[in-house]
Structure formats: structure tokens, C-alpha cells
């Protein structure tokens, strides 16, 4: 449990300190140097350069910043969405519960990757969004966060609903209700704290899932769009150069792998600790 | 049981109907439109022609009207014409579906066989070095991006060693059984490695729970051999959750290999969906996505039935 946490902290720390490291080394990660394309490791470029002569190490850190930011943002969004749905379903019960759980089952039962590719390829201009927003760089980041949250909320919803069902008839909740507490107050102050622990576990596991999903979408060309780079989109570029520069295809993959493994081990460790406590 | 089955079938039909409308709407939101594509193909098309074509194909009509027209044709077996392949959609789907089933079926069998062996062996010796090694392997398996695994395998076995072909389904002009198998090797290896970790975790967890039950202690106390205890007394209850997971993943057979098929240029359903979406082939994308949804729902239904069949305690009213 300590090791994955340290590994994650190291990856995140290095990624978010990327601009500082670049400044210290005197390299601009976006600087194109066609004379030094696909160079091997050297003192100036510890991991060599890519097909446009950019420093691979700094690009990796930049990609990490985007991949991690998307992973965390989407996992939190999904957890919030799932919590809201789970609370309503579990606490209100009845028809809303049945409808929401049917919806959850239906989402789980869909072939998600193909549908996500369609959603990622949609022309947002046709939805009537302003052109300025549609053409901005950041829209591809926002889109992935929304998509990942859209498919990722089900785990949190089921967890929270289960806990809400159990907790809503406990004595302290009845007491709060008889004292005149309103539904929002009971949900936030009495029910939510009781599901926080499993929710944190599920969210830390889902960070890894989102990073994998983002890397697949970016690799297929429908995720993070240039000039921004993520680990997945770096692999997309590297695929074409696999004959001449195989290492370019190795580094980003190793980074994704290490990050996701660390997230999974962290989530698993938290889960075991939680089960022991209960 | 009959009532349950009937209700589930109605529900599946409802979800499929709803999804066909949703997918139809989504496809309409994809970049470009068919008339624009015709215009780029034929620069002599005038603005008046464009307006007439739009009226002819009913593109100015509301979404629901267009959907109903499409649905009526689809129910008569006419799924339209594919732009990318210049052939009726149905004639493209069927061979692709067969290819996907071959690829996914073989990796599914391999992964399940390995998962059973590894999972049971690990569950019998909890916390041994073997159990730990299997655990590590599982975590690696669920954490590795499939497309990167494929990339590394291509790099090693096709580019460096030159042992296996990196793409396609057969060498043009050859296509004997050995050639087909050689082309299957890397995609099947990729899919097997990518899924065996997840399956093993389920088998291991289910087996450990099953081996901790009272009836196992009873069987041991009655002097049953270890093999009998494991294979007869523990495996059957352990298989209940495992079968559910397997049936669920069987449902994604058609679309689950999208990444792998794309990486190896393997002509299956997953690559077809990807190509159709990327190539603005609206008719094909629509039909392929619906077929993928239908098979996934069918897999889930099979999971429910397997659950009831394997576990006599489960009753469906």
C-alpha cells in the first residue's frame, strides 16, 4: 500500500513539476528541432527526441499531467454523479429507485467502447454549442471527462444506493427525521458519511480505469487532440514510427501501465484495510 | 422461470428499441452529412441538385420521422448500402461477425482455461509465493493498455524476430489453415493476455470463498480426497459467480476486440465499427453498433440464465 502511493506521488509530482524541470534543463517541451529528430538519449535529452525533435522526457511529463488530470477529474465527476443518483434511488426508494437501477443496469449492459467512440467523434457544432468552444483545444479534455463520467458513475451509484438502503432505517437517521431534519440534511449529514469509505476505494480504482480509457480513445485519435498530448496520443504518433524508433512506443505505455497498476494496488489495499476494519 | 424469461426478453427488446433510436440520433450528429459527401465526390452537383437530393432522401424531416422510415426498412431486412465498401450492409456484417467470433472465441477459451488453472491453484495455497505471483500477474493483466500490449507484441514477434505476421487475416494468394493460424496468433495472444488476469481474479476469489464453506469441511472430515473436494465440492459453487462474469464478457465478444482488431488490421466487427465511424459510413456504423448492442444484451441474458441453472438456491419468480 505504501509503495503504490509513493509511485503515484512520484509520477504525479514529476508530471506537475514538468514545466519547472524543463526550465531547469533549459528546454521547451514544445520546441521543434527538425535537425535533431529521433535522437537517442543524450545529456541534453535524457530519453532522446521524438519525430519533431522535441524532448521525450518533457513530453512524457506533459502527457502525464493531462492523463492524470483527466483521470482524477473524471473519477471525481463520476463519483459525484453516481453518489447523487445512488442517494436518490436508495433514500427515496419506490418508483425512482426502480427506474434509476434499471438505468444503471442498462448502462452496464451496453457495448461501451464502440458507443464511446461514436460519442467522441460527434460534431458538437451540430448540438448547437458555440463554435468558439467547439474549436478550442480544451474541448477534447472536457469531452473525455464527460464521457468517462457518463460510463463510470454506475459503480458509485450502486455502492451509495446499497449503503443508503441500509442506513436510512438506522436509529440515528430516524431520530434526525423525527427532530424535523429535511431530506437534503439527512442525505448529506447522516447518510453520506456512512458511504464515504467504500466510495473513496471505488474512486481510486476508477482513476486507473479512466486513464486506460483516455489512453485508448487518444490512441485511436478521438481523445486528446494536438497540440495537447497525453500518453495515449503520444503512442498514436509512435505507432507510425515503430520501425525506426521503437522506444518512442515503449515509454508512454510504461507510464500508463505503472500509473494504472499503482491505482489498482492502492484501491485494492484500501479495500482490504476497509474490510478488516468492518 | 418462464415468467422471468419472458419478462427479460421483453425488457431486452425494449432496451434494443430505445438504443436503436439513440444510436440513430447519434449517428446523425456525426461530422458531415451524406449529401455533402456526394457533393465532394461530384463537383458538378449544383445547389438546386443538393436541395432536391435532400428532399428526396427526406433529410429535412424531423428525426423521429426519419428514424421510423429507417426502422421500417430495417425490419424488412434492408439495412442500406455501405459507402466505404460499396456493398449492402448486411453482406458486410456477416463475414465480419464470423471473423470476430473466431478471434474472440479462441482467446476466450484459452483465457478461461488458464484462469481456471491459475485461480484454483492459487486459491488452494493462499498467501504462498505462488498465490502472490498470480496476484501480481493479475494486476499487471488488468492494468496494461491492450493497444500497447499489441504494439509491444508486434514489435517483438513481427518486427524484431519476424516469426509471425503483424496484420491481416491471411496472406493474399495463400490462405491455407497454417497461414490463417499464424495470422490469428498475435491477436489471440493479445486478447488472452489482456483478459486472463481479470478472469483469474474472479476464479481465485470465488474458489477461496467456496473452500471456506462448511460443506467443504464436512467433505474433508468424511475422508474425501483433496481432488474430489476441490473439483466436485468447491468448484461448482465457485463457478456460479465465475459463469456470470464469463457470460457478461461473452456479451462483449463482438465489440470487445475493437482495439485489438484495429491494431492487427483484423477484419472483425470491432474494426468494422471503428472504420465505419471514422469513415462517415452512416448506414454501416448504425447497423454494426446495433448488432454489437444486441449481442451484448444477449450475453447478459445468458448470464442470468446460467446463474439460475448453476445455483439451485437462486429462484426467479
Amino acid at each position: 500500500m505504501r509503495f503504490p502511493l509513493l509511485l503515484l506521488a512520484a509520477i504525479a509530482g514529476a508530471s506537475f513539476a514538468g514545466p519547472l524541470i524543463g526550465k531547469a534543463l533549459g528546454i521547451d517541451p514544445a520546441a521543434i528541432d527538425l535537425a535533431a529528430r529521433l535522437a537517442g538519449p543524450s545529456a541534453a535529452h535524457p530519453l532522446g527526441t521524438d519525430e519533431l525533435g522535441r524532448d521525450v522526457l518533457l513530453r512524457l511529463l506533459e502527457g502525464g499531467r493531462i492523463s492524470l488530470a483527466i483521470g482524477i477529474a473524471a473519477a471525481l465527476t463520476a463519483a459525484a454523479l453516481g453518489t447523487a443518483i445512488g442517494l436518490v434511488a436508495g433514500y427515496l426508494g419506490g418508483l425512482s429507485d426502480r427506474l434509476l437501477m434499471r438505468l444503471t443496469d442498462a448502462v452496464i449492459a451496453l457495448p461501451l467502447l464502440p458507443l464511446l467512440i461514436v460519442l467522441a467523434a460527434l460534431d458538437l457544432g451540430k448540438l448547437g454549442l458555440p463554435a468558439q468552444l467547439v474549436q478550442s483545444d480544451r474541448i477534447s479534455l472536457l469531452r473525455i471527462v464527460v464521457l468517462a463520467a457518463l460510463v463510470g458513475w454506475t459503480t458509485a451509484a450502486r455502492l451509495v444506493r446499497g449503503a443508503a438502503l441500509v442506513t436510512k432505517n438506522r436509529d440515528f437517521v430516524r431520530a434526525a427525521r423525527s427532530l424535523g431534519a429535511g431530506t437534503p440534511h439527512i442525505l448529506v449529514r447522516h447518510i453520506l458519511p456512512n458511504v464515504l469509505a467504500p466510495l473513496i476505494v471505488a474512486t481510486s480504482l476508477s482513476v486507473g480505469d479512466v486513464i486506460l480509457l483516455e489512453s485508448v480513445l487518444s490512441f485511436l485519435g478521438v481523445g486528446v487532440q494536438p497540440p495537447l498530448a497525453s500518453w495515449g496520443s503520444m503512442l498514436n504518433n509512435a505507432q507510425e514510427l515503430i520501425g525506426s524508433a521503437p522506444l518512442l512506443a515503449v515509454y508512454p505505455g510504461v507510464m500508463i501501465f505503472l500509473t494504472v497498476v499503482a491505482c489498482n494496488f492502492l484501491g485494492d489495499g484500501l479495500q482490504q484495510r476497509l474490510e478488516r476494519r468492518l | 422461470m418462464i415468467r422471468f424469461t419472458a419478462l427479460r426478453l421483453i425488457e431486452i427488446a425494449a432496451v434494443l428499441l430505445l438504443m436503436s433510436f439513440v444510436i440513430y440520433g447519434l449517428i446523425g450528429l456525426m461530422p458531415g452529412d451524406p449529401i455533402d459527401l456526394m457533393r465532394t465526390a461530384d463537383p458538378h452537383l449544383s445547389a438546386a441538385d443538393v436541395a432536391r437530393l435532400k428532399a428526396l432522401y427526406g433529410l429535412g424531416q424531423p428525426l423521429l420521422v426519419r428514424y421510423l422510415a429507417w426502422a421500417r426498412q430495417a425490419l424488412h431486412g434492408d439495412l442500406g448500402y455501405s459507402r466505404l465498401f460499396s456493398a449492402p450492409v448486411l453482406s458486410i456484417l456477416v463475414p465480419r461477425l464470423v471473423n470476430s467470433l473466431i478471434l474472440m472465441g479462441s482467446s476466450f477459451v484459452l483465457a478461461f482455461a488458464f484462469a481456471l488453472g491459475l485461480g484454483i491453484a492459487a486459491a488452494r495455497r493462499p498467501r504462498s509465493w505462488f498465490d502472490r505471483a498470480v496476484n501480481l500477474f493479475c494486476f499487471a493483466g488488468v492494468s496494461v493498455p491492450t493497444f500497447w500490449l499489441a504494439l509491444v507484441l508486434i514489435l517483438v514477434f513481427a518486427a524484431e524476430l519476424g516469426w509471425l505476421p503483424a496484420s491481416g487475416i491471411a496472406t493474399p494468394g495463400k490462405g491455407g489453415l497454417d497461414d490463417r493460424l499464424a495470422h490469428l496468433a498475435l491477436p489471440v495472444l493479445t486478447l488472452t493476455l489482456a483478459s486472463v488476469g481479470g478472469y483469474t481474479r474472479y476464479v481465485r476469489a470465488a474458489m477461496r470463498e467456496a473452500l471456506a464453506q462448511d460443506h467443504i469441511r464436512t467433505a474433508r472430515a468424511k475422508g474425501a480426497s483433496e481432488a474430489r473436494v476441490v473439483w466436485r465440492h468447491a468448484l461448482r459453487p465457485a463457478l456460479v459467480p465465475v459463469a456470470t462474469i464469463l457470460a457478461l464478457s461473452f456479451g462483449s465478444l463482438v465489440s470487445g476486440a475493437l482495439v485489438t482488431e484495429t491494431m492487427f488490421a483484423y477484419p472483425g466487427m470491432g474494426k468494422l465499427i471503428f472504420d465505419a465511424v471514422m469513415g462517415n459510413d452512416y448506414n454501416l456504423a448504425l447497423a454494426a453498433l446495433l448488432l454489437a448492442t444486441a449481442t451484448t444484451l444477449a450475453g447478459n441474458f445468458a448470464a442470468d440464465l446460467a446463474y439460475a441453472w448453476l445455483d439451485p438456491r437462486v429462484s426467479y419468480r
Side-chain angles (χ1 to χ4, degrees), chain B residues 68-79 90:
Chain B
L68 287 176
W70 172 84
R72 191 170 305 130
Q73 278 194 323
L75 287 177
H76 284 100
D78 178 11
L79 290 167
L90 210 56

Side-chain angles (χ1 to χ4, degrees), chain B residues 282-304:
Chain B
Y282 309 104
N283 285 337
L284 187 59
L286 184 53
L289 277 168
L290 263 179
L291 184 59
T293 310
T295 48
T296 315
L297 291 174
N300 293 355
F301 181 56
D304 282 343

